[in-house]
Every structure is written in C-alpha cells, then in structure tokens.
C-alpha cells in the first residue's frame, strides 16, 4: 500500500494493527525528527469499512498509536465536519 501523499518518499509501512486491512491512506504530516505522523486511512475492520484519522508518536524507535478517530458513516462525518466548519471562521 503506497501513500497517496506524493511528498512522502520513505514508503514506510503504515503502523496499524495487523488485523486491519488498509485499503488506502494519505499522510497529512510526518516529522521523523520530532516523532509525529498523522494520516487519513480507509480501512476494513471485520468486513466493515471506515475512514480513520490516526496520529502516531515515535517511542523507542517504534511508531505507536497516539490517537484514532473513526468515521463509520457519511452522516457521522457530516456532523463532525459541520461542527468544525462552525469554528473555522473564528481562526
């Protein structure tokens, strides 16, 4: 599985559980020197698809999951998107 973010050149395997089937992903930001990596991942878990936001942190030279936010439906995403858009104008 290749990263759809063409600026990322290392093709390091995505650090997700082996029980999850990664269909596609796109790195949002990766900083090896500071030890942070975030990505949006389309995956299958027990034959159900979901889109997840992941954030990993490098600990002892191994990527460990720091955060995971899963979206299991378009409706669930639209509620979150609308809430975020309501605050964006105040930035």
């Amino acid at each position: 599985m290749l990263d759809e973010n063409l600026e990322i050149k290392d093709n390091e395997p995505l650090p997700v559980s082996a029980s999850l089937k990664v269909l596609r992903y796109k790195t949002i930001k990766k900083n090896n020197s500071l030890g942070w990596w975030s990505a949006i991942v389309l995956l299958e878990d027990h034959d159900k698809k979901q889109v997840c936001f992941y954030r990993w942190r490098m600990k002892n030279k191994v990527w460990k999951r720091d955060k995971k936010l899963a979206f299991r439906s378009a409706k669930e995403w639209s509620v979150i998107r609308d809430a975020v858009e309501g605050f964006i104008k105040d930035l």
Side-chain angles (χ1 to χ4, degrees), residues 55-87:
R55 185 174 70 186
W56 300 275
R57 180 137 198 208
M58 180 73 75
K59 293 182 183 177
N60 299 320
K61 299 184 181 183
V62 177
W63 290 109
K64 298 287 185 181
R65 188 178 83 197
D66 181 61
K67 302 279 186 226
K68 177 183 176 184
L69 179 58
F71 309 101
R72 293 173 184 88
S73 70
K75 183 174 181 161
E76 188 175 350
W77 165 247
S78 82
V79 168
I80 292 167
R81 182 195 63 225
D82 292 347
V84 170
E85 287 178 352
F87 289 106

Side-chain angles (χ1 to χ4, degrees), residues 17-29:
S17 171
S19 66
L20 303 174
K21 181 180 177 184
V22 174
L23 304 173
R24 293 175 36 204
Y25 74 98
K26 182 170 185 170
T27 293
I28 302 302
K29 190 170 187 178

